[in-house]
Amino acid sequence: MARLMIKSNDNLKIKEYIKLVSKKAYREQKGKFALEGVRIISDALSSGVYFDLLLLTKKCFFKIKNTPYDITKLCNYELISDKLAKSMSHVDSPQGAFGIASKIFSTKISKMNNFKYILALHDVQDPGNVGTLIRTADAFGFDAVVVSGGCDIYNPKVVRSTMGSLFRISIIECLDFESFLKDINIKTYAAVVDRKANSIDKIKFDGGMLIIGNEANGLPKKIYDICDEKITINMFGKTESLNAAIAGGICMYEMRQSMERNLY
């Protein structure tokens, strides 16, 4: 029997997807999130993320059929019209693939004893920054990302900009970051804009937690004071500070390069 095609925004499954895209409270209530794009859905499925449903255009269905990205073999799917897909999409060139998935369980803080390199994000607000920092941590072989406040990691912009890293790296969600820092047994490095702080390229790292603060205000003093070391990136131009994702990327690179240099 031919599969029916969903064409209306009034369909309950479409309404569910749209609410998951637009409302953080609804994502938290349902324990679900929304994804768009064949590659990221495939990455999530291969990482063990459970999907309630896929929504595909007919064009997308035939394009991915019998390819390594044939996500229809791993999950139930419904067909949707091209017009509906365009109205649902948040990218310039929609692929016609949308998913509703269950949130990933946050890694327990107790498991941090097994981690050597950790990135912590405290009140980082911009979805692009959060997603890029998670992706960069994955690229540089960090073991986990701690998220405290700031942007919801299941915001569709965050999910999209991680390029699948959200499903490959351990995520630790932390409500009370101050207490968390007091309890952990790992060296902490606060990234700050301060000429008195230690230059990132002068430190010999052997693991530790890099902490990136809010884009506008940096780290609060009560957090700053708890950290073992304050580190900074020396700049030679007229700009006073760097974008949070750029600064975090430089610091993570230097941390890993420092360890590589110390091996020889």
Side-chain angles (χ1 to χ4, degrees):
M1 187 174 73
R3 189 180 289 263
L4 295 176
M5 179 179 289
I6 300 172
K7 298 180 179 180
S8 172
N9 280 318
D10 291 329
N11 181 277
L12 292 178
K13 293 168 184 174
I14 303 302
K15 285 184 174 181
E16 171 90 345
Y17 179 87
I18 292 171
K19 286 178 76 173
L20 288 170
V21 166
S22 59
K23 297 182 179 181
K24 177 182 176 181
Y26 191 72
R27 292 194 291 269
E28 291 177 345
Q29 175 192 342
K30 294 294 185 179
K32 299 177 183 179
F33 67 110
L35 300 92
E36 178 181 355
V38 172
R39 177 64 182 269
I40 197 163
I41 291 173
S42 177
D43 284 345
L45 283 165
S46 60
S47 298
V49 176
Y50 175 78
F51 277 72
D52 288 1
L53 179 68
L54 297 179
L55 300 163
L56 305 172
T57 61
K58 187 180 287 188
K59 181 179 179 181
C60 179
F61 172 79
F62 284 112
K63 186 175 182 178
I64 64 176
K65 193 171 178 61
N66 298 322
T67 73
Y69 294 107
D70 190 352
I71 51 183
T72 63
K73 293 180 178 179
L74 301 172
C75 184
N76 293 327
Y77 69 94
E78 298 276 0
L79 294 178
I80 59 175
S81 68
D82 291 338
K83 184 177 180 181
L84 182 55
K86 190 173 181 179
S87 71
M88 292 167 61
S89 179
H90 284 76
V91 298
D92 293 333
S93 302
Q95 295 179 342
F98 308 85
I100 296 175
S102 295
K103 284 187 175 184
I104 310 155
F105 288 112
S106 178
T107 302
K108 292 182 179 179
I109 291 174
S110 59
K111 286 193 173 183
M112 282 186 54
N113 293 330
N114 301 320
F115 297 151
K116 190 171 182 68
Y117 284 94
I118 301 167
L119 172 69
L121 308 180
H122 183 266
D123 198 30
V124 180
Q125 297 288 336
D126 182 78
N129 283 338
V130 173
T132 300
L133 284 161
I134 292 172
R135 182 182 178 186
T136 306
D138 181 26
F140 288 138
F142 274 55
D143 301 297
V145 177
V146 177
V147 180
S148 180
C151 182
D152 175 21
I153 61 170
Y154 293 101
N155 178 303
K157 291 181 180 179
V158 174
V159 175
R160 187 162 60 248
S161 58
T162 67
M163 296 293 288
S165 291
L166 180 64
F167 316 120
R168 293 190 292 266
I169 194 167
S170 293
I171 302 291
I172 298 167
E173 296 182 83
C174 176
L175 297 177
D176 187 346
F177 195 59
E178 185 177 359
S179 297
F180 166 75
L181 287 180
K182 290 176 179 177
D183 292 341
I184 62 172
N185 184 29
I186 186 170
K187 191 163 186 178
T188 51
Y189 299 90
V192 297
V193 181
D194 186 347
R195 295 193 178 197
K196 295 179 182 178
N198 295 315
S199 177
I200 182 74
D201 60 333
K202 304 298 183 186
I203 299 174
K204 290 184 178 180
F205 293 97
D206 184 23
M209 179 188 292
L210 169 67
I211 305 173
I212 305 293
N214 178 270
E215 292 92 336
N217 304 311
L219 291 168
K221 189 175 186 302
K222 63 181 181 179
I223 300 299
Y224 181 104
D225 288 342
I226 297 171
C227 295
D228 297 310
E229 285 203 46
K230 288 76 179 173
I231 59 174
T232 195
I233 300 167
N234 287 334
M235 292 180 289
F236 306 96
K238 296 179 181 179
T239 299
E240 292 183 359
S241 63
L242 294 170
N243 166 275
I246 296 293
I250 293 171
C251 289
M252 283 187 273
Y253 174 80
E254 286 291 345
M255 288 179 76
R256 293 313 307 257
Q257 282 295 102
S258 174
M259 183 176 179
E260 292 298 317
R261 287 193 294 266
N262 292 337
L263 292 175
Y264 299 99

